[in-house]
Amino acid sequence: MGLRERVLGRSGLRISSLCAGTSPLASMPELYGYQVSTDRAVDTVLAVLDSPITMIDTSNGYGFDGAAERVVGEAIRRVGGVPDGVIIHTKVDPDPATRDFSGARVRRSLEESLERLGLDRVPLLALHDPEFMTQDGFAPGGALEELVRIRDEGIAGHLAVAGGSVRVLQEYLETDEFDVVLNHSRYTLLDRSAAPLFAWARERNIGVMNAAPYGGGMLSKGPAEQPRYGYSERGEIVALRAQKMKDACDRRGVPLAAAALDFSVGSELVDTTVLGMSSPERVAQTLMLLETPIPEELRAELDALALPPENWLG
Ligand SMILES: NC(=O)c1ccc[n+]([C@@H]2O[C@H](COP(=O)([O-])OP(=O)(O)OC[C@H]3O[C@@H](n4cnc5c(N)ncnc54)[C@H](OP(=O)(O)O)[C@@H]3O)[C@@H](O)[C@H]2O)c1
């Protein structure tokens, strides 16, 4: 299928159909099961910047003290600034100590991000994981109000809302202030919870970013090596279905990761697929995976192995 250029809905941003995710670069062994050194992380971002992938997804909250943003910032500095046509997408997060997610914290979060990234504005800024907010994001003085102000000041070109819970993302999208939605782990070979949300967004020309096509690694490394799906243990059926998917892929000589990528990148519902990689070699490897032919019969077999809706994350 290969890498394509796409337009990210009504944001009008031109992006590649793959976007490099950076949470594994923040070295979070509790989520991914391994450490990543800063040098390896910077080299990975440099490999992305040297590839046809033109979008990088990061966040104020990835790792201790903005570790992922620092790595992205370091790589940007080493290449002398953001290369033409590359879109850096970051997200505002609550204060890690107090969980404050007020409008004032949103502003501070952005200021921290800009400093770490070495930028004075970002083309796209997301509200991160609103389902975990302890304050009302819609209230006067709250997160939404401040994000709109930041966009109106031009410090962010467009707003996105990023998270898991489909219901909460929909609530924010209904304000009509967000040009882009990002959902994770809910539109994959295993879980389809986000399909109606993506279709709804599509009808309104809201850009769609589908993150974690491997569910955080189960659908790339296999359930034996990555037993978590969507960052937690999910019970036997999830690992069992993933293993059956891997067996089906093995029988046809197709890497499971290639099939998982094909599901998202090939979907009419998705503008860009955000996947995590934590070594420079992965970048070229991923571009190769995208070229892997996936037989129709394998697609059908994998489709039949998707989890039943009662096991979806929702
Ligand atoms: N709420 C949000 O906004 C939100 C939530 C989740 C994710 N995201 C974004 O989306 C990105 C993607 O999510 P994710 O990184 O958690 O999960 P993912 O993309 O589903 O999976 C990443 C995992 O897959 C592994 N992997 C990648 N390519 C592989 C290959 N060819 N073979 C074997 N393993 C491979 C990576 O391993 P290696 O480290 O060994 O390369 C990593 O452990 C994140 O990095 C983040 O930027 C956003």
Side-chain angles (χ1 to χ4, degrees), residues 47-62:
V48 170
L49 292 175
D50 194 34
S51 82
I53 297 172
T54 59
M55 190 177 202
I56 296 180
D57 174 88
T58 189
S59 185
N60 182 297
Y62 290 162

Side-chain angles (χ1 to χ4, degrees), residues 21-24 32 34 57 62 91 128-129 162-163 182 184 211-217 220-221 231 274-278 282 285 289:
T22 59
S23 62
Y32 297 100
Y34 49 89
D57 174 88
Y62 290 162
K91 316 189 188 81
H128 195 192
D129 288 347
L182 179 154
H184 71 89
Y214 308 137
S220 48
K221 296 177 190 289
Y231 315 110
V274 191
L275 82 153
M277 299 172 276
S278 72
R282 276 275 190 257
Q285 189 189 9
L289 286 177

Side-chain angles (χ1 to χ4, degrees), residues 33-298:
Y34 49 89
Q35 309 258 12
V36 178
S37 72
T38 304
D39 284 350
R40 182 174 132 194
V42 173
D43 286 348
T44 305
V45 180
L46 287 171
V48 170
L49 292 175
D50 194 34
S51 82
I53 297 172
T54 59
M55 190 177 202
I56 296 180
D57 174 88
T58 189
S59 185
N60 182 297
Y62 290 162
F64 176 71
D65 195 28
E69 284 183 333
R70 288 181 193 282
V71 158
V72 175
E74 176 59 22
I76 291 172
R77 270 183 287 280
R78 288 205 204 166
V79 298
V82 179
D84 277 352
V86 171
I87 302 292
I88 306 291
H89 171 227
T90 194
K91 316 189 188 81
V92 293
D93 279 279
D95 183 295
T98 63
R99 306 308 297 165
D100 172 33
F101 213 162
S102 61
R105 167 59 200 169
V106 163
R107 177 68 62 161
R108 268 198 310 282
S109 176
L110 172 65
E111 287 168 356
E112 289 169 3
S113 297
L114 293 176
E115 199 195 325
R116 292 167 187 159
L117 294 165
L119 304 176
D120 51 19
R121 72 184 293 281
V122 280
L124 185 65
L125 179 69
L127 175 65
H128 195 192
D129 288 347
E131 68 262 41
F132 301 125
M133 270 171 110
T134 51
Q135 282 144 299
D136 179 2
F138 299 95
L144 175 62
E145 194 180 277
E146 193 61 20
L147 280 168
V148 169
R149 191 171 296 125
I150 286 166
R151 186 211 36 221
D152 292 349
E153 289 168 0
I155 308 173
H158 300 272
L159 298 180
V161 60
S165 163
V166 166
R167 181 187 57 77
V168 174
L169 292 178
Q170 174 104 29
E171 268 172 37
Y172 278 90
L173 291 176
E174 278 170 3
T175 65
D176 215 27
E177 299 289 0
F178 297 90
D179 292 337
V180 175
V181 63
L182 179 154
N183 180 273
H184 71 89
S185 316
R186 288 158 176 82
Y187 190 63
T188 69
L189 287 176
L190 281 169
D191 186 318
R192 312 289 162 86
S193 332
L197 175 78
F198 287 173
W200 184 92
R202 264 269 174 279
E203 281 166 23
R204 287 153 186 81
N205 200 20
I206 291 169
V208 173
M209 300 176 69
N210 187 37
Y214 308 137
M218 182 182 274
L219 292 172
S220 48
K221 296 177 190 289
E225 193 175 335
Q226 174 49 286
R228 287 171 288 267
Y229 182 86
Y231 315 110
S232 305
E233 303 266 354
R234 299 286 174 193
E236 219 179 334
I237 183 173
V238 180
L240 207 66
R241 292 287 174 105
Q243 187 56 50
K244 285 188 171 172
M245 287 178 172
K246 186 169 183 325
D247 295 343
C249 287
D250 287 351
R251 278 196 297 276
R252 293 180 191 268
V254 171
L256 175 61
L261 215 49
D262 169 78
F263 174 82
S264 178
V265 180
S267 167
E268 290 287 310
L269 295 178
V270 175
D271 292 317
T272 191
T273 298
V274 191
L275 82 153
M277 299 172 276
S278 72
S279 61
E281 308 79 61
R282 276 275 190 257
V283 179
Q285 189 189 9
T286 299
L287 293 170
M288 297 257 299
L289 286 177
L290 210 54
E291 306 281 351
T292 309
I294 312 292
E296 262 323 309
E297 315 82 72
L298 177 60

